[in-house]
Amino acid sequence: MTFDFDRIIDRRNTNSLKWDLMEARYGVSKDTGIPMWVADMDFLPPDAVNEMLQANAAHGINGYYGDESSYQNAIVSWLDRRHGYTVDPAWITTVPGVVPGYSLAIQAFSEPGDGVLVFSPVYHAFGRAIEANGRKVVESELVQRDGQYHMDFEGLADLVDERTKILLLCSPHNPGGRVWTEEELRELCDFCLKRNILIISDEVHHDLVFDGHRHVVTATLSEEIAANTITFAAASKTFNLAGFMTAAAIISNPEIRRKYVRQVHACGLGPNRLGILATVAAYDHGELWLEALLPYLKHNEERFAEGLEAAIPGAKVMRMPSTYLSWVDMSGVDLEFKEIVNRIEQEAQIATNLGAAFGKGGEQFMRFNLACPTSVVKDALGRIEHVFEDLRTQATIG
Ligand SMILES: Cc1ncc(COP(=O)(O)O)c(C=O)c1O
């Protein structure tokens, strides 16, 4: 079976956040610009998803969704065969997205003013959700070693206190794509167990891991760790279904689950019919699509890393073992960060995410979304090459 990830699909004027808001957010024209910011893909999902939508439209009625068993079974089967994670369907609670899901957990398991530990720089919605809920962001800055991020275990004990109630873990990590090893996760979870810190493990990028790396599900480390963990999983990143706003909170500990479900009910939340159906279609029929997607993303990543470092002297691409979000350190470039951003956004007309939004340590970085046809990556590189020509000339003369 072949999948056409090279196909350019015009997403303009479809209420796409990535395309239709880039002019307002970045001053990058949707007619001539390239959106490499928010994390969705410019690819069609597996055919089964759109076939389901067509069948649904042909029937035509979209009342409340009932009976989540096929959805739960699809998740259970996926997590078992792709991640070796054995889940009881009863552990699954449907929530309207991973971010709303962990916001509910923050509300249920901490009080205003309590601390939530994160490893920064990290996905910008972590800090936003923590602060919007009146909790304190406790940032442990990741350390760069051998071109990858590492957790600073030595500094952790001094950072937390008795009011640090939750760890919000990003695994695999966004940005940078770090896939945490079993040893790292074990050390971190033991640290949390000793201090009564609840672990919220956001594993939304778990399927987008490249060959040679293995994602370890936090809750598989031990019974004790599982009993202290809420895992978030979704088909949204894997299969490009983010607009359906559907995710799963997986909780094996009945007490934690009861409290979490109470919070979900307190907000009157229920399943999104199309989100559930899309998830089932993707998990049940999308595996070959995903197997084809991964090498395509990896190829884009390699091409981009090589091209960008050649185009901008001093720029350093963090080579990512997972995700499609390339994290680029501009601190070695002989220009002010503002000027680098100006050249990429305004002159090259490429919208990216700026690193400062990801917290401490991200200030000199830019994040580029590479989930687009390779021809678009090449186009972006050509533009970047053009607007940094003077730096390369200087470097050659120097
Ligand atoms: C680590 C991480 N968690 C959650 C999300 C968003 O999840 P959702 O759209 O389900 O809220 C993203 C999106 O980029 C992400 O990178």
Side-chain angles (χ1 to χ4, degrees):
M1 202 183 286
T2 55
F3 301 93
D4 187 6
F5 299 116
D6 286 331
R7 182 175 155 202
I8 303 271
I9 299 167
D10 189 353
R11 297 183 64 194
R12 292 169 303 165
N13 309 314
T14 62
N15 289 92
S16 152
L17 168 62
K18 187 181 183 184
W19 283 86
D20 292 328
L21 283 193
M22 104 173 135
E23 176 113 47
R25 299 269 177 102
Y26 294 94
V28 173
S29 157
K30 66 178 163 188
D31 296 321
T32 54
I34 303 179
M36 297 185 115
W37 61 300
V38 64
D40 71 23
M41 310 197 250
D42 291 333
F43 306 131
L44 287 174
D47 284 348
V49 172
N50 287 327
E51 284 161 10
M52 175 283 294
L53 288 170
Q54 278 152 13
N56 190 78
H59 183 265
I61 298 179
N62 282 285
Y64 290 115
Y65 189 81
D67 186 2
E68 288 180 46
S69 54
S70 55
Y71 168 70
Q72 290 169 337
N73 291 338
I75 295 172
V76 168
S77 169
W78 184 263
L79 292 176
D80 179 43
R81 62 184 199 272
R82 301 286 308 186
H83 299 288
Y85 179 26
T86 309
V87 168
D88 182 326
W91 299 350
I92 300 171
T93 304
T94 305
V95 285
V98 173
V99 176
Y102 60 64
S103 279
L104 290 161
I106 290 169
Q107 291 160 12
F109 300 102
S110 65
E111 297 296 327
D114 282 346
V116 179
L117 176 63
V118 302
F119 290 95
S120 69
V122 71
Y123 173 47
H124 41 76
F126 274 34
R128 226 174 33 223
I130 295 165
E131 280 171 354
N133 279 296
R135 275 61 167 176
K136 210 174 88 198
V137 183
V138 180
E139 276 182 291
S140 172
E141 196 175 329
L142 292 164
V143 186
Q144 279 192 70
R145 215 166 43 241
D146 307 325
Q148 292 287 309
Y149 278 136
H150 295 264
M151 294 171 184
D152 171 19
F153 286 113
E154 277 165 28
L156 266 191
D158 290 338
L159 267 182
V160 303
D161 59 26
E162 67 289 347
R163 289 210 69 181
T164 312
K165 295 288 166 51
I166 292 173
L167 160 70
L168 188 45
L169 175 68
C170 196
S171 178
H173 195 78
N174 166 22
R178 183 63 213 283
V179 177
W180 306 114
T181 64
E182 184 170 336
E183 292 69 33
E184 287 168 315
L185 289 171
R186 214 173 268 290
E187 185 165 353
L188 178 64
C189 293
D190 287 344
F191 174 89
C192 291
L193 282 176
K194 278 194 200 112
R195 289 165 181 77
N196 259 331
I197 296 174
L198 175 73
I199 301 162
I200 299 180
S201 193
D202 173 347
E203 303 190 15
V204 76
H205 292 284
H206 61 177
D207 293 317
L208 300 172
V209 172
F210 301 132
D211 262 359
H213 301 274
R214 187 175 70 91
H215 170 71
V216 177
V217 177
T218 306
T220 59
L221 292 174
S222 73
E223 287 286 319
E224 209 186 352
I225 291 168
N228 187 45
T229 300
I230 301 180
T231 306
F232 284 98
S236 54
K237 290 286 156 219
T238 313
F239 295 106
N240 203 23
L241 308 173
F244 285 115
M245 302 295 292
T246 298
I250 303 165
I251 310 171
S252 62
N253 182 324
E255 230 171 277
I256 295 180
R257 193 166 64 242
R258 212 170 302 120
K259 203 162 173 194
Y260 185 75
V261 169
R262 203 184 316 132
Q263 191 68 27
V264 170
H265 288 165
C267 297
L269 300 172
N272 173 322
R273 176 181 166 77
L274 294 179
I276 297 272
L277 294 172
T279 302
V280 175
Y283 279 158
D284 286 353
H285 304 286
E287 206 152 358
L288 289 177
W289 180 95
L290 174 61
E291 291 298 341
L293 173 77
L294 288 171
Y296 193 91
L297 293 177
K298 183 67 193 150
H299 173 72
N300 277 1
E301 193 271 341
E302 282 165 359
R303 179 125 214 163
F304 182 76
E306 201 178 298
L308 190 109
E309 288 187 358
I312 314 180
K316 189 92 197 95
V317 176
M318 189 172 278
R319 299 308 302 270
M320 53 195 193
S322 73
T323 81
Y324 48 76
L325 304 163
S326 187
W327 187 237
V328 184
D329 183 357
M330 298 295 187
S331 62
V333 180
D334 192 17
L335 283 176
E336 274 196 37
F337 187 67
K338 228 169 56 192
E339 171 60 12
I340 300 168
V341 173
N342 182 57
R343 288 187 185 197
I344 292 175
E345 277 179 5
Q346 304 314 317
E347 294 179 27
Q349 286 284 287
I350 299 170
T352 70
N353 287 95
L354 301 187
F358 295 74
K360 255 192 222 160
E363 299 81 358
Q364 299 291 314
F365 283 78
M366 297 176 84
R367 196 190 72 174
F368 294 77
N369 179 343
L370 306 180
C372 54
T374 304
S375 61
V376 177
V377 173
K378 286 191 204 161
D379 181 0
L381 285 170
R383 293 173 188 218
I384 292 170
E385 221 174 86
H386 180 67
V387 301
F388 288 95
E389 195 171 354
D390 57 336
L391 281 196
R392 291 196 306 282
T393 312
Q394 269 173 32
T396 320
I397 294 168

